[in-house]
Amino acid sequence: MKRRDFLIKAGVGVTAAAATVALTGCEKDKQSEQKGAGPAVITNKKYEWRMVTTWPPKLPLLQTGAERFAEMVKKMSGGRLTIQVYAGGELVPPLETFQSVSQGTVEAGSGAAYYWAGKAPAAQWFAAVPFGLNAQGNNAWFYGGNGLKLWEEVYAPFNVIPRPLGNTGVQMGGWFRKEIKSIGDFKGLKMRIPGLGGKVLAKAGGTVVLLAGGEIFTSLERGVIDATEWVGPMHDLRMGFYKAAKFYYAPGWHEPGTTLEAMFNKKAYDSLPKDLQVILDVAAAECNIWTLAEFDAQNGGALQELIGKHKVNVKRFPPEVMADLKKLADETLEEEADKDSQAKKVHEDFKKFKDQVGIWYSVSEKSYFDVIAKKYSL
Ligand code: CA
């Protein structure tokens, strides 16, 4: 019999165990009392939460990642905290996720912070920054730098607590019907590309077209748009974009490591016993690792299928195009940051941190990749 089952079955044991934990917890609390921290006593009280997401039902790694997170929380808490996960539109419209968590209509949500730019412009820096940090760099900023602290600060007025819940890794630059040879080829180009990346495209003379996921393929196939970005090989293969556009460009300069998020309503989070709060935090961090691992593992196979089976022409943006886009991206970021004091604060910290890890990555990660990537270079 497992220790937990034994304790539950032997009622006396539960009381004794709870009392021990309560005493130990109280002693520790005196030393590190935190405002808003939940009670330290472990009881068998059950909590039933609801989580809404911005993702379509069954969307691999994004919706399924949120569902996996809920499953982990249930297992880790021995069923004391269960989270029912709803895909976008099942309970509330996808883009009402943040608001629903903020108002406490639901206890939790999942999405990507750039969706909430209208509420807090600074939120965009926590999801994806054109020519910003990759997944490794973002995690360094969140856990090792000021990233998560700043993110909490930005969401605090909304009573929302954020946690990184996953990362896509470097995305692809998108599917283009025509070859891109110079920055001039973006002039008049109609492209589906959201967020800050879209603002950069507009600066290059392109037209940003907003389309729901289900409308992209047909629009590309019929020439209503000339190009689209989506995610990476695994998700792009499922969308069938290779049937509608000839050129598949790398890298996703506009989304070099998009962070996915978990959001908790602050009141709901604070009312949980401390161990359940830690379980939420740890399960989110575990899901953050799992998601990136799955993206990396599955994108490799999907890219091979796109090239081998579907004869997709994988290209890199020419270096001059990348340099021009980077210049436009730097200008865009400064302009956007200047519009909002909180965005400015986050942007300055992000830039400083990027330079700091950038120096280190140039001698460590890059030196290493330069050597091993030769074998795989397309
Ligand atoms: Ca994307």
Side-chain angles (χ1 to χ4, degrees):
M1 196 185 290
K2 284 179 190 163
R3 181 174 156 77
R4 193 183 154 71
D5 295 342
F6 172 77
L7 288 177
I8 287 168
K9 276 173 188 152
V12 180
V14 171
T15 320
T20 312
V21 172
L23 280 173
T24 322
C26 284
E27 276 162 22
K28 278 184 184 156
D29 273 0
K30 273 176 203 158
Q31 291 165 0
S32 60
E33 206 161 294
Q34 280 178 8
K35 212 180 163 193
V41 183
I42 294 177
T43 66
N44 282 328
K45 184 175 174 187
K46 285 193 164 57
Y47 296 84
E48 288 175 8
W49 276 24
R50 294 186 298 178
M51 175 187 243
V52 295
T53 80
T54 56
W55 317 120
K58 296 187 175 62
L59 184 67
L61 307 187
L62 305 168
Q63 180 63 17
T64 63
E67 286 162 5
R68 187 177 177 280
F69 164 74
E71 193 55 37
M72 290 299 281
V73 170
K74 187 179 164 191
K75 281 182 189 164
M76 289 166 81
S77 68
R80 285 163 55 222
L81 175 54
T82 53
I83 305 173
Q84 181 72 38
V85 183
Y86 298 88
E90 285 180 352
L91 204 60
V92 300
L95 296 181
E96 280 177 26
T97 295
F98 185 86
Q99 195 183 327
S100 304
V101 178
S102 173
Q103 291 170 348
T105 317
V106 293
E107 293 81 6
S110 177
Y114 49 34
Y115 292 139
W116 325 124
K119 302 203 183 293
Q124 298 172 98
W125 273 260
F126 306 114
V129 174
F131 294 96
L133 293 160
N134 64 2
Q136 189 174 339
N138 273 317
N139 283 332
W141 186 49
F142 288 131
Y143 301 125
N146 297 324
L148 185 53
K149 201 177 122 255
L150 287 166
W151 197 357
E152 286 175 341
E153 206 176 294
V154 170
Y155 279 11
F158 303 95
N159 296 310
V160 175
I161 296 173
R163 294 287 179 262
L165 192 69
N167 197 296
T168 65
V170 181
Q171 297 197 4
M172 283 296 284
W175 298 84
F176 292 73
R177 287 162 64 92
K178 285 184 194 142
E179 207 173 341
I180 296 292
K181 291 177 181 161
S182 77
I183 193 77
D185 291 327
F186 283 102
K187 207 160 228 140
L189 188 95
K190 294 193 286 291
M191 181 170 183
R192 183 262 174 202
I193 173 170
L196 290 166
K199 291 200 163 78
V200 178
L201 180 87
K203 240 181 199 297
T207 305
V208 177
V209 182
L210 294 173
L211 292 169
E215 299 169 324
I216 306 173
F217 178 81
T218 317
S219 303
L220 187 64
E221 194 187 32
R222 292 181 185 164
V224 176
I225 53 172
D226 308 306
T228 185
E229 72 82 55
W230 185 234
V231 190
M234 195 268 284
H235 288 87
D236 293 12
L237 175 64
R238 284 168 53 97
M239 292 288 268
F241 292 136
Y242 60 89
K243 293 178 212 158
K246 253 174 89 176
F247 302 102
Y248 193 23
Y249 271 95
W253 54 270
H254 61 299
E255 294 194 71
T258 303
T259 301
L260 314 168
E261 67 182 355
M263 296 175 277
F264 308 127
N265 174 273
K266 191 173 185 306
K267 203 175 148 202
Y269 183 92
D270 286 348
S271 69
L272 292 175
K274 206 178 276 177
D275 69 317
L276 292 184
Q277 293 177 352
V278 174
I279 283 171
L280 283 175
D281 293 351
V282 172
E286 193 272 349
C287 198
N288 192 23
I289 296 170
W290 178 84
T291 308
L292 178 63
E294 287 289 328
F295 263 105
D296 280 343
Q298 296 190 35
N299 274 335
L303 183 65
Q304 282 176 317
E305 188 177 333
L306 284 167
I307 296 168
K309 192 173 164 192
H310 303 298
K311 310 296 172 206
V312 167
N313 194 355
V314 177
K315 294 186 83 70
R316 284 195 174 85
F317 291 115
E320 315 80 64
V321 171
M322 290 302 277
D324 290 339
L325 286 171
K326 171 138 191 346
K327 195 168 157 278
L328 295 175
D330 288 345
E331 286 170 22
T332 304
L333 289 171
E334 294 301 326
E335 284 165 17
E336 292 302 308
D338 282 344
K339 289 181 191 166
D340 179 79
S341 63
Q342 213 173 30
K344 181 87 180 159
K345 184 179 171 187
V346 174
H347 176 56
E348 290 305 321
D349 189 81
F350 186 92
K351 262 200 305 191
K352 201 174 148 212
F353 191 83
K354 190 176 150 229
D355 287 344
Q356 186 184 315
V357 291
I359 291 166
W360 165 233
Y361 287 167
S362 74
V363 296
S364 59
E365 303 294 333
K366 186 178 179 299
S367 306
Y368 179 66
F369 267 129
D370 283 348
V371 175
I372 64 153
K374 278 183 190 143
K375 183 182 170 188
Y376 309 104
S377 224
L378 289 165

